[in-house]
Amino acid sequence: MIERYLKPGIRVNWRKPYDAPDSTTGDLALSRNPPNAMTYDGLDGELVNAQFMTVNVSTTGLTMRQPIAHSWLDYMPGGTAYMPAPAQDTLTGWMSGCPLARWTSSTGQVFIGHIGTIDTNPIANARVKSQFLATMEANTTAFNPFAAWPTAEIAVVQSKFKKSSVNPYIMGLITASGEFYAILIFGIMPRSGAMNEWCIGGCKQVAPMDSAQLRVLLS
């Protein structure tokens, strides 16, 4: 499971996939974007992880330029992007309050979904929540990755960087075995071009909420 690689101070080279097109109906739609390659790119010189001062990073299983294999689940603003749960761990983002869900259908197939709320659009939020609730399985579990990283805690981690050229983001991780994690990741601002260099700020396992709790959250 890739959470063993996503330790504070780990640098990765990666480009985030684009969001899916906005939904105007709130419906569920299959996730379409493939993952982009993510590779280990050494240890950050500013966000220093004390673990790696006494233990070599290779103990995590990482070697320089090693691919970090994963699947990708779209964020579809105003709708729920979903997919059959893959054999690989799955990343999704960015997170700003959307719940991530996992459920088993009546046929026994496991699915995962990103319930795509929009911070500034209460009408779209009501629509996507209503549509998901209308078809939600009783066995659904979920979590909110954004809630796992309070602003003050992010600020403490960000203060470790000597310069202000990093931006914090939150990603969700759903492992192949069904565990939930919230990842703090910092984008290293490039002098030009796309943001391809990232530093992991932290990775927290999050206890799942059950379907009753999710129903309250979405109501």
Side-chain angles (χ1 to χ4, degrees):
M1 294 188 287
I2 66 173
E3 74 278 358
R4 70 184 185 273
Y5 301 141
L6 304 179
K7 305 287 188 182
I10 294 288
R11 291 278 290 258
V12 295
N13 189 269
W14 173 68
R15 184 176 295 186
K16 178 189 174 294
Y18 292 114
D19 293 342
D22 291 16
S23 170
T24 58
T25 62
D27 285 340
L28 284 73
L30 280 170
S31 181
R32 299 293 185 186
N33 281 320
N36 289 333
M38 178 183 287
T39 57
Y40 169 57
D41 200 31
L43 296 175
D44 192 81
E46 296 180 348
L47 182 58
V48 177
N49 188 331
Q51 174 187 352
F52 300 131
M53 297 178 72
T54 57
V55 177
N56 193 281
V57 70
S58 63
T59 59
T60 66
L62 284 171
T63 57
M64 197 64 177
R65 306 299 180 192
Q66 176 183 321
I68 300 176
H70 64 283
S71 296
W72 181 258
L73 174 63
D74 285 341
Y75 166 53
M76 180 173 63
T80 297
Y82 76 101
M83 62 194 291
Q88 290 182 322
D89 297 344
T90 301
L91 294 171
T92 186
W94 302 125
M95 309 306 306
S96 62
C98 301
L100 303 180
R102 185 177 186 271
W103 66 93
T104 304
S105 73
S106 58
T107 63
Q109 187 167 17
V110 179
F111 290 90
I112 55 176
H114 185 148
I115 303 169
T117 56
I118 307 171
D119 289 343
T120 58
N121 193 332
I123 294 174
N125 287 349
R127 207 160 38 215
V128 65
K129 291 175 182 180
S130 174
Q131 292 280 36
F132 189 84
L133 285 170
T135 59
M136 188 174 75
E137 298 284 353
N139 57 52
T140 301
T141 56
F143 76 120
N144 177 357
F146 185 75
W149 285 100
T151 301
E153 190 171 347
I154 294 173
V156 169
V157 181
Q158 189 166 358
S159 71
K160 305 295 183 182
F161 294 92
K162 295 177 183 176
K163 49 186 184 293
S164 59
S165 57
V166 295
N167 281 341
Y169 301 89
I170 306 295
M171 286 199 296
L173 166 63
I174 302 176
T175 70
S177 59
E179 295 176 329
F180 296 149
Y181 289 84
I183 300 160
L184 173 63
I185 187 169
F186 291 95
I188 312 299
M189 297 297 292
R191 292 183 179 177
S192 62
M195 192 183 294
N196 293 328
E197 194 69 26
W198 306 82
C199 179
I200 303 300
C203 181
K204 296 182 181 182
Q205 187 169 6
V206 182
M209 65 182 82
D210 61 24
S211 61
Q213 292 169 312
L214 179 58
R215 188 171 293 278
V216 170
L217 180 66
L218 296 179
S219 296

